[in-house]
Structure formats: structure tokens, C-alpha cells
Amino acid sequence: MPEAARAKPPIGVFDSGVGGLSILKSLRAELPHEDFVYVADSGFAPYGERDEGFVVARARTITRHLLREPQLAIQALVIACNTATAAAIHLLRQDQPDLPIIGVEPALKPAIALSQTRRIGVMATRGTLNSQKFKALLAGLADQAQFICQPCDGLADAIERNDTAAINELGRQYTGAMGQFGTQAGDIDTLVLGCTHYPFASEQLQPLVGSGVRLVDNGEPVARQTRRMLARLSSDSAPGQCLLFSTGDPAILQTAARHWLGLGVPVKRLRI
Ligand code: DGL
């Protein structure tokens, strides 16, 4: 994305690793002419089982880098990570009051709209489920459905490593712990994937809960919200471009981006 070829600054997107690609996919579909810079913080992942202070510090470091690096200088930031949103979005907004910042939270409201049985499963990281932000969201909706919340230690990491056996094993363990899935009264008929890594395990999770159970994530609503928050859209009619960076092994992001988004661009190693 050379400077001369860019009509306007890119949108920054970050996650602890490859999970945020599930959000980037929706962003590219909603905003096909915008440029994006994606940072996978794989060198410091997973976030979900770390303390909040660690996640806040990483979110601040990445945001500062995306704003200050002259070749990047983002116009908006999407925190493509439920855990980092819960821990840090309010602080990042305080730090950068002029920067539009969009976060991701577990899709409880869309799940209520879909559920017939009003029993809804929520899979997320321990960090997300323990956060004040999530607890407030849950409390505000508790009279509309029953939520069965399951912390999924290790699942994002298994997806990051593309370890199919571990994904299957952990998926079986965690869905099993949540109770009966199905479409009859008393069954969990809707499962919220409350971590941006989990949509990449949908193929393994769906058979574990049965084909009648809806899996819900927030990619499309986040992309629509991002469009609403942009000051103006690119006037460039050419397809937007993506720059990909990783603080860990670039090959992991490269493989995932090619597999899930058909993106063949090289991934650069970032040392921040
Ligand atoms: N993808 C992230 C989320 O949405 C975090 C996964 C992790 O690093 O634990 O919560």
C-alpha cells in the first residue's frame, strides 16, 4: 500500500492473533474500497487467560504504533477481540478521543432475536466473561433469556495453532459442560461464539451441538457499525488493500489469511 496509491488512511484492526480475521472478513465485505492494517499480537497471545493489565498494555502499545507509524496513521481502529474490547476500549477512547474506535462484544442481543427456547449458550474467554463490561451486558438482558456462559481456556490457542485434535477435544468438553443442546423447550438452541477465534472452529462445533442450533457471532454488525463511524468513505473505486503484521510467527497469520480470506499478501514481523 504505497502512500501515493492510497486515497486515504487505512483502518487499523487488531486481535491477539488470527481470530480477528473473522472480523476483517466482514469489514472487507462491508467496506470493499477501504484499506486495512491488521496486527496479530501472536507473540503475546492468548489474551483470554491473562490479567487485565497485561491486555490493556498490549492494546495501548498496538494502538500507539498504528497511529504514530507514518506509513500507517490509521483513521479508525477496530478492536477485533472481545477480550481486549472488554479490558481496554474505554481506556483507549480516553487516550485517543479523536479516533473512532469500534469494539466487539459477544452477540447476546442477536442471539435473543434468534432463540425460540430462550436458553442461550455463550462461549468466550475467561477474561471476557469476568469483565465488568460483559457482566453489565448480561445483567441488562437477564430478563429476556437464560444465558449459560462457558469459559473456554485453551480453545483460542488451539485455533491459533490450527490443532484440530485439540479443537475437537476442547469443543466437546466445553459444549458438554453447558448442558443439552437442541430445539425443544429447555434446550440451548443458540450458541454465541464470544471470541473472534471461535468462528474458525464452527465446522467442529456445529456437529457437537447439532445442526438445529444456531451459531452466532458479531462480524457483520461490527462491520456495519464501523461503516457508520467512519467520517467519510474512500472515493477510490479500486478494491481496498490489506497490510498484515504479526508480533509472533508470520507464517501462522499468512496461512490463516490465505485459508480464510483468500489473502495472499506477505505478513511482516512487528517488534513492539
Ligand atoms: N480473539 C480474542 C477474543 O475475541 C482473544 C483470544 C485469546 O487471545 O484468548 O476474545
Side-chain angles (χ1 to χ4, degrees):
M1 202 185 324
E3 190 62 32
R6 267 198 349 218
K8 61 186 303 196
I11 298 165
V13 183
F14 81 88
D15 177 43
S16 63
V18 301
L21 292 176
S22 64
I23 302 292
L24 182 63
K25 188 173 181 178
S26 300
L27 287 166
R28 293 181 76 219
E30 181 73 24
L31 296 161
H33 305 298
E34 303 299 325
D35 293 339
F36 293 96
V37 182
Y38 184 90
V39 176
D41 200 16
S42 302
F44 298 85
Y47 285 174
E49 293 128 53
R50 308 261 196 175
D51 67 74
E52 206 170 85
F54 178 90
V55 178
V56 168
R58 291 306 302 161
R60 281 184 157 141
T61 299
I62 294 165
T63 304
R64 274 198 297 267
H65 177 78
L66 288 170
L67 277 170
R68 289 186 190 161
E69 189 64 30
Q71 272 92 41
L72 305 179
I74 56 170
Q75 58 156 323
L77 177 70
V78 178
I79 309 175
C81 173
N82 293 265
T83 313
T85 299
I89 194 167
H90 57 296
L91 299 170
L92 295 181
R93 284 180 173 151
Q94 271 170 29
D95 294 349
Q96 313 292 347
D98 298 327
L99 180 70
I101 302 180
I102 301 94
V104 186
E105 64 183 15
L108 303 192
K109 289 175 203 162
I112 290 172
L114 289 169
S115 175
Q116 299 293 318
T117 64
R118 301 278 152 167
R119 271 176 73 78
I120 295 170
V122 185
M123 296 175 78
T125 68
R126 190 168 289 280
T128 296
L129 296 180
N130 285 341
S131 69
Q132 289 310 316
K133 196 167 189 306
F134 180 76
K135 285 180 183 161
L137 176 70
L138 197 61
L141 299 170
D143 58 341
Q144 296 186 48
Q146 197 177 1
F147 293 97
I148 294 92
C149 297
Q150 178 63 46
C152 298
D153 291 358
L155 184 55
D157 185 48
I159 295 166
E160 192 74 20
R161 291 183 285 107
N162 198 19
D163 181 341
T164 311
I167 296 168
N168 278 325
E169 176 50 36
L170 291 169
R172 189 180 317 278
Q173 187 184 319
Y174 293 138
T175 54
M178 296 171 83
Q180 178 71 31
F181 284 86
T183 53
Q184 305 300 311
D187 290 347
I188 301 170
D189 71 348
T190 309
L191 179 59
V192 175
L193 304 181
C195 165
T196 55
H197 281 71
Y198 301 168
F200 295 137
S202 295
E203 270 179 37
Q204 284 105 324
L205 293 172
Q206 190 74 68
L208 293 171
V209 296
S211 57
V213 172
R214 307 283 287 269
L215 307 187
V216 192
D217 66 71
N218 248 347
E220 287 172 19
V222 167
R224 285 196 295 274
Q225 173 68 358
T226 305
R227 168 187 276 275
R228 283 194 289 271
M229 291 201 43
L230 291 183
R232 64 189 172 90
L233 297 177
S234 170
S235 55
D236 197 337
S237 59
Q241 298 175 49
C242 290
L243 287 179
L244 304 179
F245 293 94
S246 174
T247 60
D249 181 356
I252 292 176
L253 182 60
Q254 183 108 46
T255 305
R258 188 176 294 121
H259 183 69
W260 297 110
L261 273 68
L263 256 180
V265 298
V267 176
K268 292 191 187 135
R269 178 74 201 262
L270 188 62
R271 294 178 199 281
I272 55 172

